[in-house]
Amino acid sequence: EFVNVDLSYANLENSILLNTKFVNVDLSYANLEKSQCGKAVFLNSDLSFANLKYLKCDDANFNNSTFHNADLTGGNLQSGDFLHTEMQNAILENSFLYKSDFSFANLTLANLKSTHLQSVNFTKTDLTLAEFDNAKFSLKELGDAIFDNCVGFVKCTKE
């Protein structure tokens, strides 16, 4: 368990963080590329500018965490809780988001190009100016999601 720890710029590439708990942890600019974090908890943690490419996280909890400009390209985020997260300018391109909950999250200007959004909950999620080119949708819930000026919906397909 990590509480109130500064792990900014840490190199955790290829780490196995199963069932690990991070509370109020600074992981900004950290490298977690190709890491696994099944059932991990990241509460109120800062992952801004983090390299999270090809991150594999099943049943992880990221509630109230920050991902400003984080790169989650190619991630596999199944059954993740992203409630009240701040993900402005986050890159989720080519990611697989299965049964993840982004309720009340801010994904303004997020890159969701070619992302698979299967059974994802976007209730009251701010997706203003998000990019969806070639995204594939099979959404669980869109309830009151904000899609102002989103880009690329004409190229999306419904699964």
Side-chain angles (χ1 to χ4, degrees):
E1 182 171 315
F2 298 91
V3 179
N4 298 319
V5 177
D6 183 355
L7 294 174
S8 57
Y9 296 94
N11 185 1
L12 301 169
E13 186 172 355
N14 291 310
S15 293
I16 297 175
L17 304 167
L18 304 176
N19 297 304
T20 305
K21 189 171 185 178
F22 299 86
V23 180
N24 297 318
V25 174
D26 184 355
L27 285 156
S28 59
Y29 297 95
N31 180 11
L32 285 99
E33 185 170 346
K34 298 177 185 169
S35 293
Q36 297 179 39
C37 59
K39 297 187 179 178
V41 175
F42 295 82
L43 292 178
N44 302 312
S45 293
D46 186 0
L47 293 113
S48 296
F49 298 95
N51 177 3
L52 305 168
K53 291 178 183 174
Y54 309 105
L55 185 69
K56 185 176 186 317
C57 286
D58 299 339
D59 300 308
N61 182 335
F62 296 95
N63 293 346
N64 297 304
S65 290
T66 303
F67 291 83
H68 295 295
N69 298 288
D71 191 347
L72 294 110
T73 299
N76 190 338
L77 308 169
Q78 297 188 38
S79 301
D81 284 327
F82 293 86
L83 280 74
H84 299 281
T85 54
E86 294 292 328
M87 299 181 82
Q88 293 93 328
N89 293 302
I91 302 168
L92 293 125
E93 190 166 351
N94 292 311
S95 292
F96 184 71
L97 308 176
Y98 177 71
K99 291 186 178 178
S100 291
D101 190 350
F102 290 89
S103 296
F104 305 97
N106 184 348
L107 280 96
T108 302
L109 295 164
N111 176 345
L112 293 149
K113 293 178 183 175
S114 299
T115 297
H116 292 263
L117 302 159
Q118 187 173 357
S119 300
V120 174
N121 188 342
F122 279 135
T123 301
K124 297 197 176 194
T125 302
D126 189 348
L127 291 152
T128 302
L129 296 171
E131 296 180 69
F132 287 95
D133 291 346
N134 300 310
K136 296 187 187 214
F137 286 84
S138 173
L139 298 177
K140 176 181 177 185
E141 179 66 59
L142 282 176
D144 300 325
I146 301 164
F147 288 98
D148 292 343
N149 300 307
C150 287
V151 178
F153 270 120
V154 293
K155 297 178 184 174
C156 294
T157 57
K158 184 174 186 258
E159 294 182 321

